[in-house]
Amino acid sequence: MKKLIIITLGALALAGCAQQKKDAAEAADAETVATDSVVAGQFDVRELDGYKLHIYLTGDEMADASFIIEGADSLVTLEQPLFKVNAAAFDEYLAALGKPVATRIADFHLGNTGADTILMPQGMPEVVNGPAYSGMMQHFAEVYGDAIEPLPTGATEEVAFDTTVTLAGVPFTFFKGASNDFPAANILIGKDAVYSHWAPGKAHVNNLYAANIEGVDARIAELEQLLATGASVFVGGHGMPGTKEDVEFMISYLNKVKELRTSEPDAAAFTAALTAAYPGLTGENGVASFAESLYK
């Protein structure tokens, strides 16, 4: 049963990011100053207040994203890639920036940090060594074999929630993420960008994002927290960068989910009502499964 759950999580992560990839690929953001193709995936570079944010869109099966925060004299990496082809492209690009790496942060995702020390939010080192996370990584190793990087072997340091640390001259504020997710952090980077596990986008959600009404409430609270940071760029470990409007859409969408869960008698009626409320919205083929989860 555990293996089946892990397989489902991987599939849902991929499906839930499809619209985010499509929307951002079609929209040119005014803050984007360069987009360079690399060996695998793409880098999207944003000039922000006091730093550059290099967003690496891996194009892997889980729509993972990794990040480099470039300060005046040094760099910070966040959520390094899992697949070797992406890790090689990421490391090549990182080296070309010509600055030392001050810190490597692993928030929700372990990646190719090797023997380097990684900074994690409080509680996550214990989680990644626990049965659920370890089982997920073991499953990836079984499915993808040599295509993925070995697990990190370096030491971990924890940072408390509601704490700001300055790395590479840039302030990073760690807020506790959604209560229905791993106990990792939403991270405000400087004052312009905020990272969460899932980048906001205009798409139906799936069971991994929220599996019940309590989870829906948790995600609404998280989205409101993201808005309250005042950021203009919203990035995630899965999906394309989002905007304030994407966050507001998701809050409205999840409130509609709550309304329909109260008004509709069963999963089938809920599915029909939600798809009718958002005609043509990407991810429609996953609404029935989402509904079944909500009505359990």
Side-chain angles (χ1 to χ4, degrees):
M1 178 61 71
K2 182 178 292 183
K3 181 174 286 190
L4 176 60
I5 292 172
I6 292 167
I7 293 170
T8 302
L9 295 186
L12 287 172
L14 175 61
C17 295
Q19 179 65 26
Q20 294 164 350
K21 294 171 71 177
K22 178 176 182 292
D23 285 348
E26 293 175 350
D29 191 290
E31 294 175 294
T32 301
V33 297
T35 302
D36 299 314
S37 294
V38 292
V39 175
Q42 278 191 333
F43 273 91
D44 175 0
V45 185
R46 310 289 179 105
E47 283 273 11
L48 301 176
D49 187 12
Y51 68 96
K52 288 183 182 179
L53 177 63
H54 303 258
I55 305 166
Y56 179 42
L57 306 167
T58 66
D60 70 16
E61 293 191 27
M62 291 166 283
D64 286 341
S66 299
F67 308 89
I68 301 167
I69 295 85
E70 180 181 358
D73 302 311
S74 56
L75 309 167
V76 175
T77 71
L78 170 62
E79 309 292 66
Q80 291 188 203
L82 176 64
F83 287 85
K84 286 182 177 178
V85 64
N86 300 123
F90 184 88
D91 286 347
E92 180 181 359
Y93 184 97
L94 184 69
L97 293 176
K99 296 178 181 179
V101 176
T103 307
R104 301 183 190 269
I105 303 174
D107 191 4
F108 285 94
H109 296 160
L110 295 177
N112 70 314
T113 53
D116 290 348
T117 297
I118 53 178
L119 187 65
M120 303 187 80
Q122 66 182 62
M124 274 303 286
E126 180 180 356
V127 169
V128 298
N129 290 316
Y133 203 102
S134 296
M136 178 176 68
M137 298 304 291
Q138 178 60 38
H139 174 69
F140 289 158
E142 292 170 359
V143 171
Y144 299 112
D146 288 341
I148 65 171
E149 289 284 337
L151 289 175
T153 59
T156 58
E157 297 178 356
E158 296 183 57
V159 58
F161 295 118
D162 299 320
T163 296
T164 299
V165 294
T166 299
L167 309 169
V170 180
F172 290 72
T173 302
F174 286 68
F175 300 104
K176 195 172 190 310
S179 60
N180 66 324
D181 210 332
F182 287 116
N186 296 329
I187 305 174
L188 177 62
I189 305 167
K191 64 181 182 181
D192 294 326
V194 62
Y195 168 86
S196 57
H197 194 181
W198 298 81
K202 295 180 176 66
H204 288 290
V205 303
N206 58 46
N207 302 13
L208 183 56
Y209 186 77
N212 49 41
I213 287 298
E214 292 76 17
V216 171
D217 284 334
R219 291 300 181 181
I220 292 172
E222 177 187 44
L223 291 163
E224 290 174 342
Q225 177 197 83
L226 298 179
L227 274 184
T229 65
S232 58
V233 180
F234 298 82
V235 296
H238 300 288
M240 298 292 292
T243 65
K244 178 182 177 183
E245 290 71 26
D246 291 322
V247 180
E248 291 169 341
F249 170 85
M250 292 196 70
I251 292 172
S252 175
Y253 172 93
L254 292 174
N255 278 312
K256 173 61 73 172
V257 165
K258 291 181 63 178
E259 173 191 324
L260 295 178
R261 177 60 182 83
T262 299
S263 65
E264 302 306 319
D266 54 36
F270 174 93
T271 299
L274 187 61
T275 54
Y278 297 95
L281 189 65
T282 295
E284 189 172 298
N285 59 351
V287 173
S289 295
F290 178 51
E292 290 294 339
S293 180
L294 291 177
Y295 280 79
K296 279 184 179 178

